[in-house]
Amino acid sequence: MEKKLAVKIQYPGIAESISSDLALVKPIAIKMFNIKGKDSDKYFKEVENKLIEETDYLNELKQSKAIAEACKHLPNIRFPKYYEEYSSNRIITMDWMTGKHLSEFTEANTDVEKSNKIGQALWDFYMYQIHVIKKVHADPHPGNFLVNNEDQLIALDFGCMKEVPNDFYIPYFELAKKENINDQAFFKTKLYELEIIKESDTPEEKKFFTALFHEMLSLFTQPFHSEVFDFSDGDFFWKDCRTR
């Protein structure tokens, strides 16, 4: 029986050009984002390593199979089957998956139940990665998700995965608790642990980033404060803007 497959082929020279391209971008990015001293090397090395990792298709194949196996029990999310025998360091072969890109689905869909079903599948997928696997699909743009005719989410492209180490996971999700966000001393301690602020920062920088991240986390952690959360509630996104 004939089977329809998708074959992902890497454009020649991509892997070899990454380091030189980043060297050209680095001075511009340092000025734009005010990245200081030794930190710039650390951040750019992380970016370089992740971009190079994405060009290693054997690694992507391994990661894709692992995430599909680990998450196959989650409701309303599907993954293609991957074929090692037809793959190499520049080629990945998988099942052809039929569906609309997530952006196309959201633009055309008017059925709230379908939206809720897909939204819940996305939430379950990422929460399972973060809290159980401790490794996250780090390229979550809409082109890497399809919605099939059964209104199930299809997840693709696991070339870029980011591990969630305990020295980030523990303090960050301690800050997800409402009582901790509102404890000024505790909150500031965790910002130091996460290296959001550092002893070398100026008093003005410490004040600015403490206030900034308190505002951000007060908003972004709200879904963790109740059993049910409605992301369609306009107050979630706009209430801070209205009070300024």
Side-chain angles (χ1 to χ4, degrees):
M1 188 176 81
E2 289 187 2
K3 190 173 183 67
K4 195 172 184 180
L5 301 175
V7 181
K8 181 178 177 180
I9 302 174
Q10 188 175 127
Y11 193 82
I14 291 293
E16 293 77 13
S17 68
I18 288 173
S19 295
S20 58
D21 288 349
L22 277 176
L24 293 173
V25 171
K26 184 176 178 180
I28 301 169
I30 286 174
K31 288 186 177 181
M32 284 181 64
F33 299 107
N34 194 29
I35 302 172
K36 298 180 180 179
K38 294 182 293 183
D39 286 343
S40 65
D41 293 331
K42 178 175 69 175
Y43 297 143
F44 274 89
K45 196 64 182 175
E46 169 80 3
V47 172
E48 182 179 358
N49 288 342
K50 283 300 168 188
L51 289 173
I52 291 173
E53 180 182 309
E54 285 202 73
T55 66
D56 182 350
Y57 279 8
L58 291 177
N59 181 63
E60 180 174 341
L61 179 70
K62 179 182 176 182
Q63 293 184 151
S64 299
K65 293 180 71 175
I67 200 80
E69 178 64 25
C71 297
K72 66 181 181 182
H73 67 288
L74 296 175
N76 300 315
I77 186 161
R78 297 292 177 265
F79 306 89
K81 180 181 178 181
Y82 296 87
Y83 298 90
E84 288 188 55
E85 63 271 31
Y86 304 128
S87 301
S88 69
N89 62 339
R90 294 291 184 267
I91 295 172
I92 299 178
T93 303
M94 67 197 85
D95 284 339
W96 178 271
M97 306 297 280
T98 301
K100 294 180 180 179
H101 282 120
L102 184 58
S103 55
E104 295 174 320
F105 170 81
T106 56
E107 185 176 352
N109 178 60
T110 57
D111 188 322
V112 174
E113 287 190 12
K114 289 182 180 181
S115 295
N116 287 342
K117 183 179 178 181
I118 295 301
Q120 188 66 55
L122 266 173
W123 176 265
D124 293 342
F125 180 44
Y126 275 93
M127 290 304 100
Y128 192 80
Q129 291 176 75
I130 292 168
H131 296 296
V132 179
I133 303 173
K134 300 287 182 69
K135 201 170 185 179
V136 179
H137 183 209
D139 190 15
H141 66 78
N144 284 339
F145 293 98
L146 304 175
V147 179
N148 66 17
N149 289 332
E150 297 175 11
D151 301 317
Q152 296 170 320
L153 192 68
I154 299 168
L156 306 167
D157 192 350
F158 296 96
C160 186
M161 298 289 293
K162 176 65 177 175
E163 291 191 14
V164 184
N166 278 335
D167 60 359
F168 172 85
Y169 177 88
I170 293 171
Y172 184 85
F173 282 99
E174 284 179 330
L175 287 180
K177 298 176 182 178
K178 192 173 183 178
E179 63 271 22
N180 291 339
I181 291 177
N182 294 329
D183 183 331
Q184 188 175 0
F186 183 89
F187 184 81
K188 200 163 187 177
T189 297
K190 295 303 167 184
L191 292 188
Y192 278 108
E193 283 188 41
L194 291 164
E195 297 186 349
I196 292 170
I197 57 175
K198 299 180 180 181
E199 292 294 347
S200 58
D201 291 337
T202 66
E204 292 78 14
E205 288 171 331
K206 290 177 183 179
K207 182 179 179 180
F208 173 80
F209 286 111
T210 298
L212 175 66
F213 277 88
H214 186 272
E215 184 176 4
M216 288 172 57
L217 290 173
S218 295
L219 181 66
F220 296 158
T221 60
Q222 284 185 33
F224 298 101
H225 298 163
S226 58
E227 190 66 27
V228 176
F229 189 83
D230 182 4
F231 283 95
S232 69
D233 182 357
D235 283 347
F236 173 60
F237 293 100
W238 301 114
K239 66 180 179 182
D240 285 342
C241 295
R242 292 199 299 264
T243 58
R244 290 176 191 275

